[in-house]
Amino acid sequence: MLRLVDWWTIGMFLLLVLFGWLNIYGASYTFDQTGIFDFNHRAGKQFVWILGSLVLGGILLMIDYKTYDVLAYILYGAMLILLLITPFLARDIKGSLSWLTIGPVSLQPAEFAKCVTALALAKYMGRYEYQLRSWRDLIVPFAILGVPMLIIMVLQRETGSALVFGAFLLVFYRQGMSGYVLWCCVAAVTLFIVSVRFGTTPLPIGAGSVGMLTCMLLLTAILLGFIDRESRSKWEMLIVAGVILLLYGIALLLTIWLPINFNYVSVSIATLCTFYALGKGIYYRRPKLIWVAVFTIICIGYTHACDLVFSKVLQPHQRVRIEVLLGMKEDPMGAGYNVNQSKIAIGSGGLIGKGYLNGTQTKLQYVPEQDTDFIFCTVGEEWGFLGSVGVLIVYLCFILRIIKIAERQKDKFSQIYAYSVASIFLFHLTINVGMVLGLLPVIGIPLPFFSYGGSSLWGFTILLFIMLRLDAAQMEKLN
């Protein structure tokens, strides 16, 4: 069986783990440290976790592949119970209740929840009779995702780990989910950013905010595009657009004599346009136009709720991070400190870097969490631009290889699970590197195989080697 294992994937796994270990040593190195195998320091401890992950991977390859299918729901249920009791047993670490301490070892169950959730999804969606034809077929898969996600976010107060479950949307899309669902997610994020960033920016003429006006104009423009696609007359969209421009022009003209609030104007026009599309969809029996109109109504309400969510639902430190990212606040010594120091460290590496163990930003401890969430800045400082690009290329080849493995699976269970693995790795890589570069909010998720920590390393190892075992079984059937 071992000869049928995809050794290219294992080779890239070992390369990433080895290079990650070297960078953990570089990031946590102190001048009084005796060596990389010093078990009183993080590199030595990580070495133990690496040995454990290799043993764990070997065990997973030896298990009968049918076991993962049979135990999928049982493991999922056991993990939910573990996630529920974790907040009552965990110590408060930086506001999070997600770590269980067992003697000298601390484990984060949320890291393992991703694997069992992927197994449960593959088990449910891989049934012979299951077909993803409508939104009703997504109710159970979304519930499988939503339960652990809510427990981790609400009870354990671990936002970063909870958001990782959003990666499974790519799996749903691959299995036939409409692209409009992903489009709705993009729209929700865009409306949130625009309304929060420009919600308090006043218009130069009249009353109202730039954020609300921009959101309503975006929704109206999208709605006009769908009206044009579903229209039987080439003049209809032009007439509707002309009426909208006329209404905005009248409101602009009235500001000469009256204090017009363009928030009300833009919302009213977007609502009128929505009801026009809804009536047209019902009259001509165009379901797509009806759904777009309903979605637009929801978005109008959502846009008004964004400020409430931002000010009341998000934690203070999360609000500050978003404000710093969006340029609403300068806080170089507070919420923006990590990202600023990370960018300084990466920029100081130049083209080829300062050399291994010669990074001044990391050696002088200027970058917080530099061997966990911000370990990529160590790569940038000590190995430079070329080293950073090299690491990203290895990751790209690694994820593409997993996608190739997923594509060659004939069994739906194995295919869905493999795509889940690819989506999780892609999400972690994108978010971690994006937040280190200051392109995305800091939400605290590890870089696979690089960040220090046994829970994340073992979680990713379990994810990967179960997939490799399922793939080896597939190759054995083909041979």
Side-chain angles (χ1 to χ4, degrees), residues 21-95:
W21 178 47
L22 293 175
N23 279 277
I24 289 172
Y25 178 65
S28 60
Y29 176 79
T30 56
F31 296 107
D32 62 343
Q33 192 165 341
T34 56
I36 195 170
F37 295 102
D38 185 350
F39 298 111
N40 293 319
H41 291 80
R42 288 198 162 185
K45 295 176 182 177
Q46 186 72 3
F47 180 71
V48 176
W49 287 112
I50 291 173
L51 291 179
S53 70
L54 295 178
V55 173
L56 182 60
I59 293 173
L60 292 171
L61 290 178
M62 294 297 104
I63 296 175
D64 187 345
Y65 74 97
K66 296 179 182 178
T67 305
Y68 301 116
D69 190 337
V70 173
L71 296 180
Y73 289 153
I74 297 174
L75 292 173
Y76 179 76
M79 181 56 65
L80 289 183
I81 295 173
L82 181 60
L83 290 175
L84 283 170
I85 65 175
T86 295
F88 301 100
L89 302 176
R91 292 184 295 111
D92 191 318
I93 301 177
K94 298 180 181 180

Side-chain angles (χ1 to χ4, degrees), residues 250-269:
I250 293 172
L252 186 62
L253 183 63
L254 289 175
T255 57
I256 300 175
W257 302 282
L258 300 172
I260 300 294
N261 190 321
F262 274 88
N263 285 352
Y264 299 141
V265 173
S266 60
V267 170
S268 299
I269 292 175

